[in-house]
Amino acid sequence: MKIVLTGAPGSGKTTLIDALRDLGEQTVPEAAIDVIQALVRELGLAEQDEWRRGDPLGFQQRIYRHQTELEAVLDPSRRSFLDRGTLDGLAYLTMFNTQAPESFKVELAAHHYDHIFFVEPLVLDELDLRQASGRNDSEEEAAKLVELLQAVYRDNGYRIHRIPPLPIAERIQFVLDLANRLELETAPR
């Protein structure tokens, strides 16, 4: 079972993924962070930001390639939690007024996920957008992404399960309880 944790930047997805990994769950880190770090090494901090803003499609294509590499090594017999899914790229492209070629939309949508967990944003003035890592999301963009991400998954036929902004220990338990329940509901009888 592949479960995507999606949501606005700074909503706590990575904290959840790290905690789930520490509990022995199979996880996939956020591909965009790896790509950004590679770009920082390649171009420098300011230059990578300029390149990303200037070529949002190229950036999302790099993320997609890395995401598919990360997903390809998952053990299909184990449940996995992913820090974002391939469709997140469409939301980002929409936010940056960039039209994805139809062929890229088809590629992004070809990845099947069993469940989408939308991690609801924390209080905006408590957001940690990790901009020192090279990310360049603003609070306004984070708020806009809340709607765009939900729309892109709904438009592709997914039901969204909401993860409320609870204290971390409660949030982890909420995610595990929901995943366990969904696993039981979909298990062959």
Side-chain angles (χ1 to χ4, degrees):
M1 181 165 73
K2 286 167 78 171
I3 300 169
V4 170
L5 274 68
T6 191
S11 59
K13 296 175 307 301
T14 301
T15 300
L16 279 169
I17 288 288
D18 291 347
L20 292 165
R21 182 199 61 230
D22 292 347
L23 291 170
E25 296 284 348
Q26 180 172 230
T27 62
V28 171
E30 185 178 357
I33 297 299
D34 291 346
V35 171
I36 291 169
Q37 290 171 347
L39 286 169
V40 168
R41 288 189 300 274
E42 208 176 293
L43 304 172
L45 186 60
E47 293 80 4
Q48 68 80 30
D49 183 53
E50 186 178 317
W51 180 84
R52 288 170 44 211
R53 294 280 179 175
D55 188 4
L57 179 59
F59 178 55
Q60 290 305 321
Q61 289 170 323
R62 282 181 81 157
I63 293 169
Y64 170 75
R65 285 192 299 274
H66 187 55
Q67 179 79 26
T68 57
E69 291 167 0
L70 294 170
E71 289 185 32
V73 298
L74 290 172
D75 177 351
S77 68
R78 293 185 60 208
R79 173 170 73 188
S80 54
F81 293 91
L82 294 78
D83 191 337
R84 298 202 178 280
T86 57
L87 288 171
D88 284 50
L90 288 179
Y92 274 91
L93 288 173
T94 300
M95 186 172 72
F96 291 109
N97 300 312
T98 302
Q99 183 69 321
E102 202 57 41
S103 59
F104 189 49
K105 288 180 185 178
V106 169
E107 279 184 86
L108 292 172
H111 289 261
H112 173 74
Y113 301 110
D114 297 294
H115 300 287
I116 307 302
F117 287 10
F118 185 82
V119 182
E120 292 185 7
L122 303 168
V123 179
L124 278 181
D125 57 347
E126 294 175 13
L127 283 180
D128 175 10
L129 295 173
R130 291 184 283 152
Q131 291 173 325
S133 71
R135 290 167 58 162
N136 57 9
D137 303 298
S138 68
E139 287 181 12
E140 296 77 27
E141 289 167 338
K144 186 175 180 183
L145 276 167
V146 168
E147 297 307 317
L148 292 173
L149 288 163
Q150 292 177 82
V152 78
Y153 280 99
R154 273 196 220 103
D155 291 350
N156 281 275
Y158 288 99
R159 177 178 170 221
I160 295 172
H161 303 277
R162 303 183 82 67
I163 309 302
L166 302 166
I168 186 61
E170 291 176 41
R171 224 177 201 194
I172 294 164
Q173 193 59 55
F174 187 95
V175 166
L176 289 171
D177 290 346
L178 179 57
N180 290 336
R181 181 174 55 79
L182 292 169
E183 212 164 31
L184 284 173
E185 289 175 4
T186 58
R189 294 176 195 244

